[in-house]
mmCIF file of all heavy atoms in Angstrom:
data_model
loop_
_atom_site.group_PDB
_atom_site.id
_atom_site.type_symbol
_atom_site.label_atom_id
_atom_site.label_comp_id
_atom_site.label_asym_id
_atom_site.label_seq_id
_atom_site.Cartn_x
_atom_site.Cartn_y
_atom_site.Cartn_z
ATOM 1 N N SER K 595 32.907 -9.265 -0.862
ATOM 2 C CA SER K 595 33.908 -8.216 -1.071
ATOM 3 C C SER K 595 33.951 -7.268 0.116
ATOM 4 O O SER K 595 35.028 -6.826 0.534
ATOM 5 C CB SER K 595 33.602 -7.442 -2.357
ATOM 6 O OG SER K 595 33.689 -8.276 -3.490
ATOM 7 N N ILE K 596 32.767 -6.966 0.670
ATOM 8 C CA ILE K 596 32.707 -6.074 1.832
ATOM 9 C C ILE K 596 33.151 -6.801 3.095
ATOM 10 O O ILE K 596 33.939 -6.291 3.891
ATOM 11 C CB ILE K 596 31.283 -5.509 1.995
ATOM 12 C CG1 ILE K 596 30.915 -4.638 0.789
ATOM 13 C CG2 ILE K 596 31.167 -4.711 3.282
ATOM 14 C CD1 ILE K 596 29.462 -4.188 0.787
ATOM 15 N N ASP K 597 32.641 -8.054 3.255
ATOM 16 C CA ASP K 597 32.928 -8.797 4.481
ATOM 17 C C ASP K 597 34.411 -9.115 4.624
ATOM 18 O O ASP K 597 34.976 -9.045 5.725
ATOM 19 C CB ASP K 597 32.093 -10.079 4.475
ATOM 20 C CG ASP K 597 32.119 -10.793 5.816
ATOM 21 O OD1 ASP K 597 32.145 -10.104 6.847
ATOM 22 O OD2 ASP K 597 32.114 -12.038 5.832
ATOM 23 N N ARG K 598 35.056 -9.487 3.513
ATOM 24 C CA ARG K 598 36.476 -9.869 3.546
ATOM 25 C C ARG K 598 37.394 -8.772 3.011
ATOM 26 O O ARG K 598 38.596 -8.974 2.876
ATOM 27 C CB ARG K 598 36.672 -11.160 2.764
ATOM 28 C CG ARG K 598 35.827 -12.316 3.317
ATOM 29 C CD ARG K 598 36.118 -13.629 2.649
ATOM 30 N NE ARG K 598 35.280 -14.700 3.192
ATOM 31 C CZ ARG K 598 35.340 -15.970 2.809
ATOM 32 N NH1 ARG K 598 36.213 -16.321 1.852
ATOM 33 N NH2 ARG K 598 34.544 -16.880 3.345
ATOM 34 N N TRP K 599 36.788 -7.642 2.672
ATOM 35 C CA TRP K 599 37.530 -6.460 2.261
ATOM 36 C C TRP K 599 38.457 -6.741 1.066
ATOM 37 O O TRP K 599 39.614 -6.354 1.034
ATOM 38 C CB TRP K 599 38.341 -5.909 3.442
ATOM 39 C CG TRP K 599 38.628 -4.444 3.350
ATOM 40 C CD1 TRP K 599 39.857 -3.852 3.336
ATOM 41 C CD2 TRP K 599 37.686 -3.372 3.238
ATOM 42 N NE1 TRP K 599 39.746 -2.486 3.228
ATOM 43 C CE2 TRP K 599 38.406 -2.156 3.173
ATOM 44 C CE3 TRP K 599 36.287 -3.306 3.192
ATOM 45 C CZ2 TRP K 599 37.798 -0.920 3.069
ATOM 46 C CZ3 TRP K 599 35.680 -2.077 3.083
ATOM 47 C CH2 TRP K 599 36.434 -0.905 3.025
ATOM 48 N N TRP K 600 37.875 -7.438 0.048
ATOM 49 C CA TRP K 600 38.628 -7.701 -1.182
ATOM 50 C C TRP K 600 38.832 -6.387 -1.931
ATOM 51 O O TRP K 600 37.860 -5.710 -2.286
ATOM 52 C CB TRP K 600 37.879 -8.668 -2.096
ATOM 53 C CG TRP K 600 37.806 -10.068 -1.565
ATOM 54 C CD1 TRP K 600 38.527 -10.618 -0.554
ATOM 55 C CD2 TRP K 600 36.929 -11.101 -2.036
ATOM 56 N NE1 TRP K 600 38.173 -11.918 -0.354
ATOM 57 C CE2 TRP K 600 37.201 -12.257 -1.254
ATOM 58 C CE3 TRP K 600 35.967 -11.180 -3.039
ATOM 59 C CZ2 TRP K 600 36.526 -13.455 -1.452
ATOM 60 C CZ3 TRP K 600 35.298 -12.366 -3.240
ATOM 61 C CH2 TRP K 600 35.575 -13.492 -2.452
ATOM 62 N N LEU K 601 40.070 -6.036 -2.186
ATOM 63 C CA LEU K 601 40.384 -4.805 -2.921
ATOM 64 C C LEU K 601 39.610 -3.620 -2.337
ATOM 65 O O LEU K 601 38.970 -2.857 -3.054
ATOM 66 C CB LEU K 601 40.090 -4.969 -4.412
ATOM 67 C CG LEU K 601 40.881 -6.066 -5.136
ATOM 68 C CD1 LEU K 601 40.428 -6.184 -6.584
ATOM 69 C CD2 LEU K 601 42.382 -5.781 -5.071
ATOM 70 N N GLN K 602 39.677 -3.509 -1.013
ATOM 71 C CA GLN K 602 38.986 -2.438 -0.281
ATOM 72 C C GLN K 602 37.470 -2.469 -0.480
ATOM 73 O O GLN K 602 36.801 -1.444 -0.470
ATOM 74 C CB GLN K 602 39.551 -1.073 -0.664
ATOM 75 C CG GLN K 602 41.021 -0.896 -0.292
ATOM 76 C CD GLN K 602 41.535 0.496 -0.561
ATOM 77 O OE1 GLN K 602 41.072 1.158 -1.494
ATOM 78 N NE2 GLN K 602 42.489 0.953 0.246
ATOM 79 N N GLY K 603 36.941 -3.665 -0.649
ATOM 80 C CA GLY K 603 35.507 -3.833 -0.819
ATOM 81 C C GLY K 603 35.024 -3.756 -2.246
ATOM 82 O O GLY K 603 33.832 -3.948 -2.509
ATOM 83 N N TYR K 604 35.920 -3.520 -3.197
ATOM 84 C CA TYR K 604 35.530 -3.351 -4.598
ATOM 85 C C TYR K 604 35.864 -4.571 -5.456
ATOM 86 O O TYR K 604 35.818 -4.497 -6.697
ATOM 87 C CB TYR K 604 36.233 -2.125 -5.191
ATOM 88 C CG TYR K 604 35.952 -0.837 -4.452
ATOM 89 C CD1 TYR K 604 36.974 0.074 -4.178
ATOM 90 C CD2 TYR K 604 34.664 -0.521 -4.032
ATOM 91 C CE1 TYR K 604 36.717 1.263 -3.507
ATOM 92 C CE2 TYR K 604 34.405 0.667 -3.353
ATOM 93 C CZ TYR K 604 35.433 1.544 -3.083
ATOM 94 O OH TYR K 604 35.183 2.718 -2.421
ATOM 95 N N GLY K 605 36.159 -5.709 -4.843
ATOM 96 C CA GLY K 605 36.571 -6.894 -5.598
ATOM 97 C C GLY K 605 35.526 -7.385 -6.573
ATOM 98 O O GLY K 605 35.857 -7.868 -7.666
ATOM 99 N N VAL K 606 34.245 -7.270 -6.222
ATOM 100 C CA VAL K 606 33.174 -7.759 -7.089
ATOM 101 C C VAL K 606 33.205 -7.068 -8.450
ATOM 102 O O VAL K 606 32.953 -7.690 -9.487
ATOM 103 C CB VAL K 606 31.797 -7.562 -6.403
ATOM 104 C CG1 VAL K 606 31.554 -6.107 -6.052
ATOM 105 C CG2 VAL K 606 30.677 -8.106 -7.273
ATOM 106 N N TYR K 607 33.535 -5.789 -8.470
ATOM 107 C CA TYR K 607 33.523 -5.037 -9.726
ATOM 108 C C TYR K 607 34.702 -5.416 -10.620
ATOM 109 O O TYR K 607 34.562 -5.461 -11.850
ATOM 110 C CB TYR K 607 33.535 -3.536 -9.434
ATOM 111 C CG TYR K 607 32.491 -3.134 -8.431
ATOM 112 C CD1 TYR K 607 32.854 -2.527 -7.225
ATOM 113 C CD2 TYR K 607 31.138 -3.371 -8.665
ATOM 114 C CE1 TYR K 607 31.900 -2.166 -6.285
ATOM 115 C CE2 TYR K 607 30.176 -3.014 -7.734
ATOM 116 C CZ TYR K 607 30.559 -2.420 -6.544
ATOM 117 O OH TYR K 607 29.615 -2.078 -5.623
ATOM 118 N N VAL K 608 35.825 -5.712 -10.011
ATOM 119 C CA VAL K 608 36.987 -6.165 -10.790
ATOM 120 C C VAL K 608 36.686 -7.514 -11.433
ATOM 121 O O VAL K 608 37.005 -7.753 -12.607
ATOM 122 C CB VAL K 608 38.232 -6.259 -9.892
ATOM 123 C CG1 VAL K 608 39.418 -6.832 -10.674
ATOM 124 C CG2 VAL K 608 38.584 -4.887 -9.327
ATOM 125 N N ILE K 609 36.043 -8.407 -10.679
ATOM 126 C CA ILE K 609 35.705 -9.734 -11.203
ATOM 127 C C ILE K 609 34.772 -9.624 -12.407
ATOM 128 O O ILE K 609 34.990 -10.254 -13.451
ATOM 129 C CB ILE K 609 35.072 -10.595 -10.094
ATOM 130 C CG1 ILE K 609 36.112 -10.922 -9.020
ATOM 131 C CG2 ILE K 609 34.488 -11.880 -10.684
ATOM 132 C CD1 ILE K 609 35.535 -11.598 -7.789
ATOM 133 N N PHE K 610 33.722 -8.814 -12.284
ATOM 134 C CA PHE K 610 32.754 -8.718 -13.381
ATOM 135 C C PHE K 610 33.293 -7.902 -14.554
ATOM 136 O O PHE K 610 32.881 -8.138 -15.703
ATOM 137 C CB PHE K 610 31.432 -8.149 -12.868
ATOM 138 C CG PHE K 610 30.549 -9.195 -12.244
ATOM 139 C CD1 PHE K 610 30.464 -9.325 -10.873
ATOM 140 C CD2 PHE K 610 29.839 -10.072 -13.039
ATOM 141 C CE1 PHE K 610 29.669 -10.293 -10.297
ATOM 142 C CE2 PHE K 610 29.038 -11.050 -12.476
ATOM 143 C CZ PHE K 610 28.957 -11.163 -11.100
ATOM 144 N N THR K 611 34.187 -6.989 -14.319
ATOM 145 C CA THR K 611 34.826 -6.295 -15.436
ATOM 146 C C THR K 611 35.673 -7.268 -16.248
ATOM 147 O O THR K 611 35.647 -7.256 -17.489
ATOM 148 C CB THR K 611 35.704 -5.143 -14.918
ATOM 149 O OG1 THR K 611 34.888 -4.214 -14.205
ATOM 150 C CG2 THR K 611 36.379 -4.424 -16.075
ATOM 151 N N ALA K 612 36.401 -8.146 -15.561
ATOM 152 C CA ALA K 612 37.197 -9.161 -16.261
ATOM 153 C C ALA K 612 36.302 -10.127 -17.022
ATOM 154 O O ALA K 612 36.596 -10.506 -18.174
ATOM 155 C CB ALA K 612 38.061 -9.917 -15.257
ATOM 156 N N LEU K 613 35.178 -10.535 -16.409
ATOM 157 C CA LEU K 613 34.239 -11.414 -17.103
ATOM 158 C C LEU K 613 33.669 -10.750 -18.350
ATOM 159 O O LEU K 613 33.485 -11.401 -19.390
ATOM 160 C CB LEU K 613 33.101 -11.807 -16.162
ATOM 161 C CG LEU K 613 33.345 -12.976 -15.216
ATOM 162 C CD1 LEU K 613 32.169 -13.131 -14.260
ATOM 163 C CD2 LEU K 613 33.561 -14.258 -16.000
ATOM 164 N N ALA K 614 33.369 -9.463 -18.253
ATOM 165 C CA ALA K 614 32.836 -8.740 -19.410
ATOM 166 C C ALA K 614 33.833 -8.756 -20.566
ATOM 167 O O ALA K 614 33.448 -8.928 -21.737
ATOM 168 C CB ALA K 614 32.491 -7.305 -19.018
ATOM 169 N N CYS K 615 35.115 -8.588 -20.262
ATOM 170 C CA CYS K 615 36.149 -8.622 -21.310
ATOM 171 C C CYS K 615 36.205 -9.993 -21.983
ATOM 172 O O CYS K 615 36.336 -10.096 -23.205
ATOM 173 C CB CYS K 615 37.514 -8.274 -20.716
ATOM 174 S SG CYS K 615 37.664 -6.576 -20.113
ATOM 175 N N VAL K 616 36.084 -11.055 -21.181
ATOM 176 C CA VAL K 616 36.145 -12.412 -21.725
ATOM 177 C C VAL K 616 34.908 -12.718 -22.574
ATOM 178 O O VAL K 616 35.012 -13.255 -23.692
ATOM 179 C CB VAL K 616 36.292 -13.441 -20.595
ATOM 180 C CG1 VAL K 616 36.171 -14.865 -21.138
ATOM 181 C CG2 VAL K 616 37.636 -13.259 -19.887
ATOM 182 N N LEU K 617 33.729 -12.387 -22.063
ATOM 183 C CA LEU K 617 32.488 -12.741 -22.760
ATOM 184 C C LEU K 617 32.279 -11.933 -24.033
ATOM 185 O O LEU K 617 31.492 -12.347 -24.903
ATOM 186 C CB LEU K 617 31.298 -12.557 -21.815
ATOM 187 C CG LEU K 617 31.251 -13.539 -20.638
ATOM 188 C CD1 LEU K 617 30.056 -13.252 -19.738
ATOM 189 C CD2 LEU K 617 31.187 -14.980 -21.139
#
Side-chain angles (χ1 to χ4, degrees):
S595 297
I596 296 173
D597 191 36
R598 302 186 181 181
W599 206 239
W600 291 346
L601 299 176
Q602 297 185 329
Y604 302 137
V606 58
Y607 310 120
V608 176
I609 292 172
F610 277 101
T611 300
L613 276 174
C615 294
V616 173
L617 292 178

